[in-house]
Amino acid sequence: MQYSEIMIRYGELSTKGKNRMRFITKLRTNIQDVLSIYPAVKVMADRDRAHVYLHGTDYKPVAESLKQIFGIQNFSPSYKIEKSVPALIAAVQAIMLDIYQEGMTFKVSSKRSDHDFELDSRELNQTLGNAVFEAIPTVQVKMKAPDIDLRVEIRKEAAYISYETIRGAGGLPVGTSGKGMLMLSGGIDSPVAGYLALKRGVDIEAVHFASPPYTSPGALKKAQDLTRKLTKFGGNIQFIEVPFTEIQEEIKAKAPEAYLMTLTRRFMMRITDRIRKERGGLVIINGESLGQVASQTLESMQAINAVTNTPVIRPVVTMDKLEIIDIAEKIDTFEISIQPFEDCCTIFAPDRPKTNPKIKNVEQYESRLDVEGLVKRAVSGIMVTEITPQAEQDEVDEWISDLL
């Protein structure tokens, strides 16, 4: 027997009351985006659950994709069965004979949304339970936590049977908590910060600063590849490339070396905030971890934050490096992050950066610069690209084609 669909159960959405359908609609869109690499697969969602119709697609890779999508509590691959008692009896017996191992316990859990069906849920449980005993006389029933829970659902169009329950990623559907701008470098921390923001339903747009010729095309592709890894948690992400060469050259030429990092980060914050305002974002997100580098002391954060009133979310601020690496490995960004391409934050990094920058000094050095003009030119020069899961699959297909 071949699975016909995957039934998806929602997580925290059960608490959303009148907003529930808005959350469900967004989750359906996210599932469609992530599963767009499987052309035959179709997605539908109602108030109680979502349905992924496989139409002949192997359920295993689809299930692996579903495990990553935020907003899903769990899901079950299901068989579509003719809506008749004889067909259900035959299917239940075939499934049990296929998966049963000596000593296993079972129960049947029926749900009848089609109330015109000839048996009610209690009668169906009893009939199908007896059918299992006929096929496997030694099997035992266990009502709480059995080894096999046969779930039978009678709908208008057909009956469905499942027995696997696969845990989902939980969290909230991406996009239900508003939009945030993720300051994405090529390092380990910022993709993890993006992942954690996605988990709480934030629709992120990735803002990446590029300074050619100091930063290479490889560094830009690295940031795009990291963004692509994040699409598997909730769908397409807008990638925003910011031209930053002029600003870094100006800072290096006109400010003391010890303040290069602070001034650079203040410009990045200003530009990200300007982009946020133009694109309807609510917050700025970054991967700063307290005390990890010189620009991430509380004093540095205060001096950098002083250029904006927009909330700045730092999901990894209290984590040490090993905790962040653990998550990076889990979400499959670590190996990309450690590729040896320099980003904007490292190319002009001073040997002895200021760890306790004074705002009055920072403002004095910025008075030597055309701050507004530099910010305006950088924002006007941004390039926006939509990063999709399909793009990643296309690259894999192209690579395989080249090998052949």
Side-chain angles (χ1 to χ4, degrees), residues 152-181:
V152 181
E153 183 172 343
I154 308 298
R155 300 185 214 157
K156 289 291 184 183
E157 75 282 3
Y160 294 85
I161 300 176
S162 63
Y163 64 88
E164 288 186 84
T165 299
I166 301 169
R167 184 174 179 179
L172 296 173
V174 172
T176 55
S177 298
K179 182 190 293 184
M181 317 310 290

Side-chain angles (χ1 to χ4, degrees), residues 127-159:
T127 299
L128 296 180
N130 289 336
V132 172
F133 284 121
E134 288 178 10
I136 309 173
T138 59
V139 72
Q140 294 184 346
V141 173
K142 186 178 181 183
M143 300 311 293
K144 290 187 177 181
D147 297 310
I148 302 170
D149 184 359
L150 285 172
R151 299 189 180 197
V152 181
E153 183 172 343
I154 308 298
R155 300 185 214 157
K156 289 291 184 183
E157 75 282 3

